[in-house]
Amino acid sequence: MSAWPKLSQFLAANRHAATLSVYLEAAPADPAEGRAVALRLRDSIEQLRRRAAELPQPEREAIETCLAELIEAIPSAEHRSRRQGWAFFRTAAGAQLVIDTPPTVETSAAWDVGPRVIPFLRAAEPESALLVQIDRARARLGLLHDGVVDAIVELEADRASDVDTHGRASADEVQRQRREASERLLATAVRRVTTLAEDALPVVVGGAVETVKRFVLALPRPLAERTEIVSTLRMGSADAAIPEIIATLQGMRRREQAAHIAELRDAAAAHGRAALGFERAQRAAAVGAIAELIFTDTAWRAHPAEIEALVHRALSSGASVEWTAVEDPEHTPHDGVVAGLRFSV
């Protein structure tokens, strides 16, 4: 989500400006699907033009000017990335932003007051995680960020020293040294991970099954609670396991969001420090009371323009905003909007 600060700054500067927002999903490997993506973009632009038919002539001309700039900026098929999506924003006054996006962003085109940011928020994957690959002889620590794994450190167990005795006693001594070296490696890896994981960074572990279990059991409890094992993360390259890692991180985030939303529901009932539902959240936003806003697809698809405006207002007051895949009525308000408040409204 490293492009988010740029989009957030563009929103702050152009929140009230008529703006073209175009999102393009990552390039698929299948050429036929690539043509389908191009068709979805063309259809979105044609729908935009049809909706704009009743607008005043100067605004229609502004839209066409922005679309012409889009055609100049859009990457050709051979230069599209399979790892990232793409987005283009241009105001009627000429302010422009081009950014990479998460790969799963939905292809769309819209003309609104202010740039559309919800498509970006919906597609944003968990930003990063500390990866640990460990067996009895080695431990690799890496940082997953924006779909790329950067190596941090590799640890190796000490080698067994030469033993002067012969026969079984010699073999037993070698085994003892290897066990102790493995224990030291495990303890060192736990210390390094505890230091690197910071306050909220999730940890994903893979490697030799028994060593992985022992490693997780050795972690401090708060860290173990945000640690998950991914069986496909082995001792080789971590790249092959990235889809499973991302899915695991998404599951972790959904569980955390569900628990947090339950806390906000309790806060709303106990002392009014949360707003449940769109109308209450909107009233809170009007007086700058929102500290955090969480919304679901149910809310956005039912009232896309209204939810986009609510998100803009919340962001402009310094609130954090999250989309959640949690749609369980037990965890979310009936219309899919909940807000934590700075003060009771």
Side-chain angles (χ1 to χ4, degrees):
M1 204 172 170
S2 59
W4 174 251
K6 295 179 182 178
L7 180 51
S8 182
Q9 291 169 9
F10 189 81
L11 171 63
N14 300 284
R15 180 183 160 205
H16 301 292
T19 305
L20 174 69
S21 302
V22 176
Y23 287 91
L24 188 61
E25 63 209 75
D30 183 358
E33 181 56 27
R35 290 189 290 272
V37 172
L39 182 61
R40 284 195 287 274
L41 177 60
R42 188 181 69 184
D43 288 346
S44 294
I45 292 173
E46 289 308 311
Q47 290 174 20
L48 185 159
R49 282 179 165 135
R50 286 195 294 271
R51 289 192 296 270
E54 297 181 1
L55 295 175
Q57 180 68 19
E59 191 164 0
R60 294 202 305 274
E61 292 176 355
I63 291 173
E64 291 302 325
T65 298
C66 291
L67 288 172
E69 292 290 336
L70 167 70
I71 299 304
E72 291 295 322
I74 196 166
S76 60
E78 59 269 22
H79 292 100
R80 295 260 314 284
S81 170
R82 293 182 182 176
R83 299 178 67 97
Q84 295 176 310
W86 182 86
F88 172 91
F89 307 92
R90 190 185 189 279
T91 70
Q96 182 173 305
L97 175 68
V98 177
I99 57 172
D100 293 324
T101 73
T104 56
V105 72
E106 290 184 3
T107 297
S108 64
W111 178 258
D112 287 311
V113 177
R116 278 198 175 182
V117 300
I118 287 179
F120 190 104
L121 292 171
R122 288 184 68 255
E125 296 171 342
E127 290 190 34
S128 56
L130 185 65
L131 304 188
V132 182
Q133 298 162 271
I134 189 166
D135 61 16
R136 294 177 61 184
R138 294 167 297 163
R140 293 193 183 100
L141 311 184
L143 180 66
L144 172 67
H145 189 73
D146 288 341
V148 177
V149 179
D150 292 323
I152 298 175
V153 67
E154 181 162 346
L155 307 172
E156 291 189 6
D158 299 329
R159 294 178 179 273
S161 60
D162 293 336
V163 179
D164 294 334
T165 57
H166 300 282
R168 185 176 183 82
S170 175
D172 288 346
E173 176 63 16
V174 169
Q175 289 301 315
R176 183 189 67 78
Q177 289 188 25
R178 286 176 176 170
R179 283 195 301 271
E180 291 180 354
S182 181
E183 292 295 334
R184 289 193 296 272
L185 172 68
L186 189 70
T188 301
V190 168
R191 288 196 301 271
R192 296 295 296 269
V193 169
T194 302
T195 300
L196 291 167
E198 301 176 342
D199 293 333
L201 190 65
V203 178
V204 175
V205 187
V209 175
E210 290 303 319
T211 309
V212 166
K213 289 180 181 178
R214 292 173 56 224
F215 173 83
V216 174
L217 287 172
L219 291 173
R221 184 172 179 177
L223 184 54
E225 290 175 349
R226 51 187 167 92
T227 298
E228 292 285 342
I229 298 171
V230 173
S231 60
T232 56
L233 178 60
R234 306 190 188 280
M235 292 306 296
S237 171
D239 291 348
I242 286 178
E244 290 80 7
I245 293 169
I246 294 296
T248 297
L249 293 174
Q250 289 171 336
M252 292 173 69
R253 182 165 67 175
R254 283 194 293 271
R255 292 192 296 274
E256 291 169 357
Q257 287 176 323
H260 184 52
I261 290 169
E263 292 174 354
L264 291 175
R265 290 173 67 92
D266 292 343
H271 44 73
R273 290 296 293 272
L276 306 182
F278 172 72
E279 291 184 0
R280 290 184 176 88
Q282 192 175 45
R283 289 197 295 270
V287 294
I290 292 183
E292 57 180 314
L293 177 69
I294 303 172
F295 67 95
T296 69
D297 266 6
T298 296
W300 178 60
R301 295 197 185 279
H303 307 287
E306 292 83 354
I307 297 298
E308 184 78 46
L310 177 62
V311 167
H312 287 191
R313 177 168 277 184
L315 289 170
S316 70
S317 66
S320 64
V321 176
E322 287 184 53
W323 170 81
T324 179
V326 176
E327 293 279 6
D328 184 349
E330 292 295 321
H331 294 108
T332 54
H334 65 89
D335 66 359
V337 177
V338 60
L341 305 182
R342 297 187 175 96
F343 50 85
S344 300
V345 176

